[in-house]
Amino acid sequence: MSDYNTLLKELGLDVALHDEMIKATDRLFQETVGAQKNRPKEMAYFDRVLAEAHGARVAELVEEKRNGKRIVGTFCIYVPEELALAANTVPIALCGGIQASIPYAERMFPRDICPLVKSTLGLAFSKTCPYAPIKSLAVGETTCDAKKKTWEILAGKVNFHVMEVPQKKEKLDFDLWREAVDDFRRKLEDLSGTKVDSGRLAETIRIMNAKRRALQELAQLRQAEVVPISGVDALVVMQAALNDEPVRFTEAVKRLNQELRERIKNGISVAPGAKRIMMAGCPAVMGNWKVHALVERSGGVIVWDESCTGSRYFEHLVDETAQDLDGQITAIAERYFKISCACFTPNQERIDAIVRRAQEFNVKGVVQYVLQTCHGYNIEAMRVEAALKGIGVPALKVVTDYSEEDTEQLRTRIEAFIEQLA
Ligand code: SF4
Ligand code: SF4
């Protein structure tokens, strides 16, 4: 990483503070991801993506920018990546998963908001986010209150666009959402000076669908009785998905899948005898491996991850049969409208999907992962738990932040939960 310090300095970053934060994140990575035994060899690629997220990937994006592309920062998986790619821009997720940046956000923002939002803001405010100075546009959405109100503040400081994500899934809401998708297209066109044409959009839809298919296959491989990859490693893959160039990433996932197929064939499990667990709830973005690692060190192995750094990111494909731009925009809107974030009401599809996957993946228990002050996932956890009870699968709700203060307390609760599972 130090090779890139000159570049980071040129971008106006506080290099000394940045180094400190990277060291803290590296330590956590080594203690959680790196400390695992029997990792698939192909994981080396994804480890590198994470290690280079503030190095080689930044240099790559700076080069893209020099070549005329605009960088678009995003904060949510409702933002259609195929549209951004088709408009000759590069979308990149800006969500923060580290504790070290949070105090910088708390100097300005209330303490009692979600750690994901605070970590993201703290990275920007402390001049340690390399993407902040190179992005030409940030795209927020009307999902939760913490985000909506944050965008109002940020919009006064940087070029900002807010996508209207409705809160219900009726026809009226879909029409609004489709318009929001089309409005985003126009915004991107203004930014890049490139008209989105149907031919290029068909190509970027195929690129994103190929990425989703590869991730769907990876998820499916975790259904095997011989679990070929840990939940922590599967999370690393998803964290890389939000940062890496999509075509290169897809090829790496295919190579990993091939290795996992071999492992299953040869009976190589990462956790023989461990209890099969589903994680459900909030996303765990880059820098955050805390609860996944605790679950897998307490006798569990995660076989399904129902989150935005899990199935919500790759489930459902965009219909590739639309012939013109209008039809393609509708197809994109339809695919993203199927994502079941807890910001929707009611959100029965999410609950049904959790129950279905718990059965398909022979899950013995579900850990509901809730980031502090995330009311949507916290309250919805009651309905999820009740539905799981109906099929005899116990659930444990874990409400936490990014700090390490509650680690021992969580360990005790998670160990006790996993121990009593059938
Ligand atoms: S949890 Fe909801 S708001 Fe957060 S990234 Fe996922 S879809 Fe977006
Ligand atoms: S985890 Fe919850 S509170 Fe935090 S940004 Fe996502 S939806 Fe909002």
Side-chain angles (χ1 to χ4, degrees):
M1 290 286 288
S2 54
D3 295 342
Y4 295 96
N5 275 353
T6 311
L7 172 67
L8 298 180
K9 205 167 179 180
E10 278 168 16
L11 292 174
L13 261 60
D14 181 335
V15 173
L17 183 59
H18 179 265
D19 262 359
E20 231 176 81
M21 288 190 187
I22 292 293
K23 276 190 193 124
T25 312
D26 278 352
R27 176 185 61 80
L28 278 179
F29 181 86
Q30 291 311 333
E31 288 173 7
T32 51
V33 183
Q36 298 176 99
K37 303 258 181 325
N38 195 15
R39 302 183 69 204
K41 282 200 283 300
E42 295 293 341
M43 280 308 297
Y45 175 85
F46 304 98
D47 289 0
R48 217 162 37 244
V49 172
L50 265 54
E52 292 299 337
H54 280 209
R57 182 64 173 143
V58 180
E60 193 174 48
L61 293 182
V62 167
E63 189 56 29
E64 295 263 39
K65 201 172 169 181
R66 250 184 230 127
N67 294 334
K69 287 200 175 171
R70 300 302 176 116
I71 313 301
V72 174
T74 64
F75 305 93
C76 179
I77 61 164
Y78 276 105
V79 179
E81 291 174 83
E82 39 281 271
L83 260 186
L85 293 169
N88 201 31
T89 71
V90 184
I92 189 107
L94 297 183
C95 294
I98 65 168
Q99 171 67 22
S101 64
I102 287 180
Y104 298 89
E106 288 177 344
R107 285 179 191 172
M108 265 183 78
F109 274 66
R111 289 174 65 91
D112 47 359
I113 55 173
C114 155
L116 190 148
V117 172
K118 283 192 290 188
S119 177
T120 310
L121 292 172
L123 283 162
F125 296 163
S126 62
K127 296 197 169 149
T128 52
C129 174
Y131 302 109
I134 59 174
K135 67 171 182 346
S136 301
L137 176 72
V139 186
E141 11 57 49
T142 55
T143 47
C144 67
D145 289 349
K147 284 177 151 188
K148 275 187 292 206
K149 291 290 119 183
T150 298
W151 309 151
E152 291 171 16
I153 314 275
L154 293 187
K157 300 177 190 292
V158 296
N159 189 17
F160 211 95
H161 176 75
V162 179
M163 287 190 82
E164 172 83 44
V165 176
Q167 311 280 286
K168 291 177 75 181
K169 291 199 173 172
E170 306 293 331
K171 165 136 189 3
L172 185 72
D173 307 293
F174 177 76
D175 292 346
L176 175 73
W177 171 238
R178 193 205 173 279
E179 190 48 36
V181 173
D182 211 17
D183 187 40
F184 179 48
R185 171 185 62 84
R186 288 188 287 269
K187 181 75 189 178
L188 289 164
E189 289 178 341
D190 284 349
L191 179 78
S192 67
T194 304
K195 281 266 168 222
V196 172
D197 77 75
S198 161
R200 173 67 183 145
L201 187 53
E203 198 182 321
T204 60
I205 288 173
R206 279 195 295 274
I207 288 172
M208 289 308 301
N209 274 350
K211 181 178 175 182
R212 291 181 189 115
R213 280 194 194 94
L215 289 169
Q216 286 171 2
E217 192 187 355
L218 169 59
Q220 217 52 53
L221 289 165
R222 297 163 73 195
Q223 195 175 18
E225 207 183 312
V226 170
V227 183
I229 184 169
S230 69
V232 169
D233 275 344
L235 177 64
V236 167
V237 173
M238 291 308 304
Q239 292 173 341
L242 299 178
N243 181 268
D244 200 8
E245 193 284 321
V247 176
R248 186 173 60 203
F249 173 83
T250 303
E251 290 310 308
V253 177
K254 286 182 184 168
R255 289 195 298 274
L256 174 65
N257 289 346
Q258 183 52 35
E259 185 182 354
L260 300 187
R261 273 192 292 275
E262 291 292 318
R263 284 183 155 218
I264 293 170
K265 202 167 81 195
N266 297 325
I268 302 172
S269 164
V270 279
K275 308 252 176 78
R276 300 172 69 92
I277 303 291
M278 178 195 293
M279 292 286 288
C282 292
V285 296
M286 209 185 287
N288 177 10
W289 307 282
K290 178 169 133 177
V291 177
H292 286 68
L294 277 174
V295 166
E296 297 200 320
R297 281 178 177 174
S298 305
V301 61
I302 299 160
V303 293
W304 186 260
D305 203 328
E306 189 277 332
S307 74
C308 296
T309 40
S311 59
R312 283 201 293 275
Y313 181 74
F314 56 72
E315 279 191 317
H316 314 297
L317 301 176
V318 175
D319 180 3
E320 293 179 21
T321 60
Q323 297 299 319
D324 58 10
L325 191 59
D326 224 38
Q328 288 168 318
I329 297 291
T330 302
I332 290 170
E334 282 169 351
R335 187 265 155 192
Y336 283 83
F337 202 55
K338 288 181 190 148
I339 298 171
S340 49
C341 175
C343 65
F344 277 88
T345 182
N347 201 21
Q348 190 60 37
E349 287 127 318
R350 174 170 179 248
I351 292 156
D352 293 345
I354 290 173
V355 168
R356 192 176 70 246
R357 295 302 188 183
Q359 289 171 318
E360 285 172 4
F361 280 70
N362 191 20
V363 155
K364 301 298 175 203
V366 174
V367 174
Q368 299 209 64
Y369 176 56
V370 179
L371 288 172
Q372 261 171 22
T373 76
C374 179
H375 306 315
Y377 287 96
N378 199 352
I379 299 170
E380 197 159 281
M382 293 163 70
R383 296 192 62 213
V384 171
E385 187 172 346
L388 287 167
K389 199 171 176 193
I391 56 163
V393 174
L396 172 75
K397 185 173 78 175
V398 168
V399 182
T400 185
D401 58 12
Y402 291 170
S403 76
E404 294 175 81
E405 282 163 23
D406 61 352
T407 303
E408 288 315 310
Q409 192 199 2
L410 288 180
R411 190 193 309 280
T412 309
R413 286 184 62 213
I414 291 170
E415 275 175 0
F417 173 69
I418 293 178
E419 205 183 317
Q420 50 87 42
L421 296 176

